[in-house]
């Protein structure tokens, strides 16, 4: 049992379970007539599949934490929208948690992108500039999200 838990199968299973939750939310929202939230769930599902498409089309594998963290942030956000947790006083912390997770995922992706560009010698940046790029990217995307 310990070997199975240590393998990549558990994060992969968790990622696909969260993608399935997004499919269910999409179906329930469309069936109930809330098409805007249904479209948002569909877009979240599409975004969560991007690492898989990149891996397939560019013959590369992104680390599994990227796939799991993107999918978790999107699934938690859509779950909050579906159950109206953002406006429920008993779940006051939901908005803070999803914003923190989303910002962390964006910062991680920005750093991963700039690190790969630096590693492949497409861009040469010092560590302080990498940090600045990561911070400003996360801040800018967060500002656009809030608008």
């Amino acid at each position: 049992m310990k070997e199975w838990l240590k393998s990549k199968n558990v994060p992969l299973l968790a990622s696909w379970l969260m993608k399935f939750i997004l499919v269910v939310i999409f179906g329930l929202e469309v069936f109930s007539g809330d098409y805007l939230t249904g479209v948002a769930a569909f877009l979240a599902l599409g975004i969560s599949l991007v690492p898989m498409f990149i891996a397939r089309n560019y013959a590369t594998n992104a680390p599994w934490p990227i796939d799991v963290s993107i999918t978790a942030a999107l699934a938690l956000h859509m779950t909050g929208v579906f159950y109206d947790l953002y406006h429920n006083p008993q779940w006051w912390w939901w908005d803070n948690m999803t914003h923190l997770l989303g910002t962390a995922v964006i910062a991680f992706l920005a750093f991963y992108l700039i690190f790969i560009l630096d590693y492949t010698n497409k861009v040469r940046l010092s560590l302080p500039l990498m940090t600045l790029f990561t911070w400003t990217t996360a801040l800018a995307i967060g500002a656009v999200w809030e608008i």
Side-chain angles (χ1 to χ4, degrees), residues 19-98:
K19 286 175 177 70
F20 179 72
I21 289 169
L22 290 171
V23 169
V24 169
I25 289 172
F26 167 72
L28 290 173
E29 291 294 349
V30 169
F31 182 72
S32 70
D34 189 0
Y35 300 115
L36 184 61
T37 307
V39 168
F42 185 76
L43 289 173
L45 178 65
I47 292 169
S48 72
L49 293 171
V50 166
M52 181 185 71
F53 291 129
I54 289 173
R56 180 175 297 159
N57 293 335
Y58 294 103
T60 184
N61 285 328
W64 64 262
I66 290 177
D67 179 40
V68 172
S69 61
I70 291 171
T71 306
L74 294 168
L76 287 172
H77 173 68
M78 287 312 302
T79 301
V81 170
F82 181 73
Y83 287 111
D84 200 27
L85 299 178
Y86 287 105
H87 302 105
N88 187 336
Q90 294 176 331
W91 292 83
W92 59 267
W93 51 270
W94 191 266
D95 187 47
N96 294 334
M97 179 198 60
T98 55

Side-chain angles (χ1 to χ4, degrees), residues 113-126 129-130 133:
L113 172 69
I114 201 67
F115 179 78
I116 292 299
L117 290 174
D118 183 65
Y119 183 77
T120 58
N121 293 324
K122 297 200 189 296
V123 173
R124 295 306 281 163
L125 293 175
S126 65
L129 281 176
M130 282 185 187
F133 175 82

